[in-house]
Amino acid sequence: MSLKGKIALITGGAQGIGSIISKELAGQGAHVVLGDINQEGAEETVAEIKNSGGKASAVKIDVSNATDVRRVFDSILNEYKPIDIVVNNAGITRDALLLRMKEVDWDLVLNINLKGSFLCSQQAIKQMLKQKSGSIVNIASIVGVMGNFGQANYSASKAGLIGFTKTLAREVAPRGIRANAVAPGFIDTEMTRVLEDSIRLKLIEQIPLARLGQPEDVARCVSFLVSENASYITGQVINVNGGMLM
Ligand code: NAP
């Protein structure tokens, strides 16, 4: 129970990787707040966490909306205590080859994946700076490092997130706050279930460990990074990709 007494916000906590990160951190004793645009889904995960004896609550948030983000961080402060952990996990894809990519899809992906993390991190450090402690983990992607056909918007957002994490880490380190990124490879969630079977098989051929990742593979890494066991780790990008990129 290394996170006992900690308050953690996990964005995009309703399903997929965010839901499993929420369960993992709750299992370590944290009170997890699941922020998602899909509040119903977040409530379902909260019920599962509570049924297994964990502490959790759900809140509706659009991470790309500054007013929404401020409201959620203010309510966490008023209801509980200053935030200890933020996992910027909410993210979307809107894939198309660059020639056909619509401006609206470029903006949407950048606003949610990159601006959303900026807005949440800014509110988080306002509370963490006063406590002189805290940990932020940004969920980037292997695609932000190596690029991918049809994902100019998504890969730019995730590469941006990696640069953002490093600057954030440098700015807040003197005040005892850590920031890291996790770059998952291809993980078995709704996001990748839309891929055709033939594409999934081709991907697996490129993965030395010969399988897609499970959300638990990512969640265990996040759980380590936010814990005291990682107290000397900041500004890093941890690849969780089965060896797909070395
Ligand atoms: P997912 O299953 O699609 O879950 C993402 C969650 O975020 C959904 O509940 C979604 O709600 C929510 N969300 C979307 N827009 C939001 C917004 N504006 N504000 C708040 N919440 C919002 O995705 P996932 O596969 O678990 O991915 C989680 C993170 O890992 C993402 O950042 C993704 O880019 C990253 N990642 C995933 C993979 C992979 O292979 N799955 C690989 C590398 C990185 P709706 O469903 O209602 O939109």
Side-chain angles (χ1 to χ4, degrees):
M1 300 290 271
S2 61
L3 302 178
K4 203 160 184 238
K6 304 278 186 197
I7 296 284
L9 172 71
I10 293 91
T11 68
Q15 66 177 46
I17 296 171
S19 145
I20 302 299
I21 292 172
S22 303
K23 289 176 182 173
E24 178 73 29
L25 300 195
Q28 297 295 321
H31 179 122
V32 289
V33 180
L34 282 70
D36 206 293
I37 204 150
N38 170 9
Q39 195 177 1
E40 214 175 296
E43 300 279 9
E44 281 169 27
T45 306
V46 164
E48 289 173 33
I49 291 172
K50 285 185 172 167
N51 283 341
S52 353
K55 291 186 189 142
S57 48
V59 62
K60 189 173 169 73
I61 186 173
D62 173 357
V63 295
S64 65
N65 180 310
T67 312
D68 236 22
V69 171
R70 217 174 298 119
R71 173 184 56 76
V72 165
F73 276 88
D74 287 349
S75 75
I76 291 173
L77 184 60
N78 294 335
E79 245 175 89
Y80 308 106
K81 64 191 250 321
I83 193 110
D84 299 294
I85 294 165
V86 172
V87 182
N88 286 308
N89 164 80
I92 62 161
T93 52
R94 288 294 182 276
D95 297 353
L97 290 175
L98 180 56
L99 266 179
R100 290 193 212 121
M101 187 168 283
K102 298 193 175 85
E103 187 183 350
V104 64
D105 286 335
W106 174 273
D107 288 345
L108 190 64
V109 168
L110 269 290
N111 278 339
I112 293 175
N113 298 9
L114 185 54
K115 183 180 153 191
S117 300
F118 151 67
L119 292 172
C120 290
S121 301
Q122 195 176 47
Q123 289 301 315
I125 61 170
K126 273 187 194 162
Q127 297 184 21
M128 291 172 173
L129 285 170
K130 288 186 193 137
Q131 310 186 86
K132 295 198 170 62
S133 71
S135 176
I136 297 175
V137 174
N138 294 320
I139 306 298
S141 169
I142 191 172
V143 163
V145 183
M146 60 185 242
N148 197 20
F149 260 83
Q151 293 200 304
N153 49 2
Y154 183 80
S155 59
S157 74
K158 296 300 187 179
L161 198 50
I162 289 172
F164 171 71
T165 304
K166 293 179 180 179
T167 293
L168 172 63
R170 285 182 190 278
E171 289 189 5
V172 296
R175 302 293 285 271
I177 304 165
R178 297 181 300 106
N180 291 287
V182 172
F186 288 85
I187 310 295
D188 190 14
T189 68
E190 294 300 323
M191 193 177 262
T192 47
R193 273 174 215 140
V194 298
L195 299 173
E196 286 168 24
D197 282 351
S198 60
I199 295 179
R200 284 163 72 93
L201 285 174
K202 271 198 188 134
L203 282 172
I204 290 169
E205 278 169 16
Q206 297 169 53
I207 303 172
L209 289 177
R211 64 170 176 88
L212 293 188
Q214 291 302 315
E216 287 77 3
D217 295 317
V218 180
R220 283 191 291 264
C221 181
V222 173
S223 165
F224 165 68
L225 284 174
V226 302
S227 76
E228 274 304 303
N229 291 331
S231 59
Y232 199 52
I233 300 178
T234 197
Q236 303 305 306
V237 184
I238 312 291
N239 296 301
V240 181
N241 60 29
M244 190 174 188
L245 178 74
M246 296 185 188

